[in-house]
């Protein structure tokens, strides 16, 4: 594999891969939480990650199914934002979790993916980090020069890794970057095929057992390059059933409140969804940064209808960074990114 990071796949290649991604989403990923249809024919397909967030609480407690009894709701698990982007191109999703970096990619180019950001799930903290194998002798980011690093390409971890390398004075060509999803990263780590990896929970905790953390998304965010887990909605859903988006936002807001008001119940929900102990679930939840609904809709983050918040700047800056790193052909103007925000009804819909 080339030592430099290849440019992101073209829109044509993404389209070509969309059918395969959709098939994987349906046949190879979890869709174990469905509400019975009332015969209305309404459906809602939600993409999520096996990652501690309000999404898992909404799913576990069936908050959306209770709020939308006339919809057939299907939860589809994904491993990375790149696959989510492909699934939206294949029109197989209505709502999905998506990192800020793959979202920045998705809204770039002449034919942006037909979706819009409508919510913030969490801000990356210690739940995404760069870890080196203890036996590698690497003690800081600069020590990665000439070494092999794995990360899921086109993810927030990939973006944060590039930012960490730049901060340490390294170019992508100074290291060997390998595109691996979380589970294959563990196998490569155990075989000794890689020296370091930038990835998220729960895989991250497995690597920490035999690794040394070099930096985290919390540190990189504090230095000016924050990453977030967003939630996006399809343009088709916005046009055909915007009321559903309002309801979905309400239950996501409820989940964020439950993380604070019912920590024990939230931990149990996450533990059940991830198949881990409550102790591990509590530790994983503690590493994320979860905003209150009021913070989500504040000027510091998502913003309100007609007045987008600082997330607009964060996404625009992320796209510019990706363009500078040759990950995308060109960065979109802030006005183009603004078109990919769906803020109608905020914050009133949360009351």
């Amino acid at each position: 594999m080339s030592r430099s990071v290849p440019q992101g796949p073209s829109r044509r290649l993404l389209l070509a891969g969309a059918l395969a991604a959709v098939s994987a989403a349906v046949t190879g990923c979890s869709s174990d939480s469905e509400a019975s249809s009332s015969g209305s024919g309404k459906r809602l397909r939600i993409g999520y990650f096996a990652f501690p967030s309000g999404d898992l609480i909404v799913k576990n407690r069936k908050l959306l199914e209770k709020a939308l009894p006339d919809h057939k709701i299907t939860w589809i698990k994904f491993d990375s934002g790149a696959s989510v982007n492909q699934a939206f191109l294949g029109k197989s999703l209505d709502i999905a979790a998506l990192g800020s970096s793959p979202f920045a990619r998705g809204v770039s180019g002449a034919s942006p993916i037909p979706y819009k950001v409508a919510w913030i799930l969490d801000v990356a903290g210690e739940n995404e980090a760069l870890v080196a194998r203890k036996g590698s002798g690497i003690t800081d980011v600069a020590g990665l020069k000439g070494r092999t690093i794995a990360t899921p390409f086109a993810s927030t971890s990939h973006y944060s890794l590039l930012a960490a390398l730049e901060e340490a004075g390294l170019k992508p060509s100074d290291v060997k970057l390998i595109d691996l999803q979380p589970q294959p990263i563990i196998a490569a780590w155990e075989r000794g095929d890689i020296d370091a990896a930038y990835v998220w929970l729960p895989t991250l905790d497995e690597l920490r057992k035999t690794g040394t953390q070099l930096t985290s998304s919390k540190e990189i965010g504090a230095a000016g390059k924050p990453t977030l887990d967003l939630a996006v909605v399809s343009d088709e859903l916005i046009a055909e059933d915007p009321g559903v988006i309002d309801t979905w936002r309400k239950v996501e807001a409820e989940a964020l409140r439950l993380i604070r008001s019912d920590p024990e119940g939230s931990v149990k929900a996450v533990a059940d969804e991830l198949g881990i102990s409550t102790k591990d679930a509590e530790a994983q939840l503690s590493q994320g940064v979860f905003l209150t609904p009021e913070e989500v809709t504040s000027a510091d983050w998502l913003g309100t209808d007609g007045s987008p918040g600082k997330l607009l700047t964060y996404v625009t800056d992320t796209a510019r960074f990706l363009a500078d790193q040759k990950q995308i052909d060109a960065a979109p103007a802030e006005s183009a990114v603004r078109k990919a925000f769906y803020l109608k009804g905020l914050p009133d819909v949360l009351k």
Side-chain angles (χ1 to χ4, degrees), residues 1-336:
M1 180 180 289
S2 170
R3 287 181 176 269
S4 63
V5 181
Q7 291 190 23
S10 68
R11 188 72 60 196
R12 179 176 296 178
L13 287 176
L14 282 173
L15 284 167
L19 183 59
V22 172
S23 176
V26 174
T27 62
C29 298
S30 170
S31 57
D32 56 356
S33 178
E34 296 187 4
S36 60
S37 174
S38 64
S40 65
K42 293 182 179 180
R43 67 179 183 183
L44 196 60
R45 301 159 299 174
I46 302 178
Y48 76 103
F49 296 121
F51 182 86
S53 73
D55 252 0
L56 294 188
I57 297 171
V58 171
K59 179 178 182 292
N60 183 262
R61 296 197 173 188
K62 298 187 182 299
L63 300 181
L64 194 56
E65 287 84 351
K66 294 173 184 175
L68 295 171
D70 60 337
H71 283 67
K72 178 180 180 181
I73 298 171
T74 305
W75 290 83
I76 307 169
K77 186 170 71 176
F78 286 85
D79 292 324
S80 72
S83 297
V84 170
N85 275 344
Q86 291 177 340
F88 269 107
L89 284 168
K91 296 185 177 182
S92 67
L93 284 174
D94 302 300
I95 298 173
L98 185 66
S100 51
S101 178
F103 174 67
R105 288 171 177 265
V107 300
S108 301
S111 301
I113 295 174
Y115 58 29
K116 291 176 172 54
V117 61
W119 194 249
I120 294 175
L121 296 173
D122 65 87
V123 181
E126 292 295 331
N127 48 10
E128 288 192 34
L130 174 60
V131 181
R133 291 174 61 249
K134 286 182 178 177
S136 66
I138 301 167
T139 57
D140 56 23
V141 179
L144 290 169
K145 187 173 183 178
R147 300 302 188 99
T148 301
I149 313 169
T151 194
F153 281 11
S155 68
T156 50
S157 286
H158 187 194
Y159 168 79
S160 296
L161 172 59
L162 294 177
L165 293 174
E166 182 182 61
E167 180 67 21
L170 298 177
K171 299 177 182 178
S173 56
D174 290 329
V175 299
K176 183 179 181 181
L177 295 184
I178 297 179
D179 181 13
L180 289 179
Q181 295 301 311
Q183 278 302 119
I185 281 178
I186 293 177
W189 180 275
E190 292 175 344
R191 291 194 303 266
D193 294 345
I194 57 178
D195 301 301
Y198 206 125
V199 70
W200 51 84
L201 294 172
T203 299
L204 175 59
D205 270 350
E206 288 298 311
L207 305 188
R208 283 171 169 154
K209 294 176 181 178
T210 54
T212 300
Q213 183 167 309
L214 307 180
T215 190
S216 70
S217 294
K218 181 178 181 179
E219 294 177 47
I220 294 168
K225 291 185 171 64
T227 51
L228 305 93
D229 288 311
L230 310 175
V232 294
V233 296
S234 70
D235 286 356
E236 185 175 355
L237 184 64
I238 292 171
E240 295 181 358
D241 204 351
V244 164
I245 300 172
D246 292 343
T247 301
W248 161 74
R249 278 174 168 153
K250 286 179 180 179
V251 298
E252 287 289 350
E254 181 181 350
L256 288 178
R257 294 188 181 103
L258 286 170
I259 289 174
R260 286 172 168 76
S261 66
D262 183 16
E264 185 175 336
S266 298
V267 164
K268 184 179 185 306
V270 170
D272 288 347
E273 288 299 321
L274 297 181
I276 59 178
S277 68
T278 54
K279 181 180 179 181
D280 287 343
E282 183 178 14
Q284 291 188 20
L285 270 173
S286 70
Q287 295 177 61
V289 178
F290 300 101
L291 306 174
T292 65
E294 292 72 27
E295 288 172 330
V296 169
T297 58
S298 72
D300 285 337
W301 297 103
L302 183 59
T304 59
D305 193 11
S307 184
K310 291 181 181 178
L311 179 63
L312 177 58
T313 300
Y314 296 151
V315 173
T316 304
D317 288 349
T318 297
R320 288 173 183 158
F321 180 81
L322 293 174
D324 290 343
Q325 294 287 332
K326 309 300 181 186
Q327 293 296 304
I328 57 177
D329 293 334
E334 186 174 278
S335 58

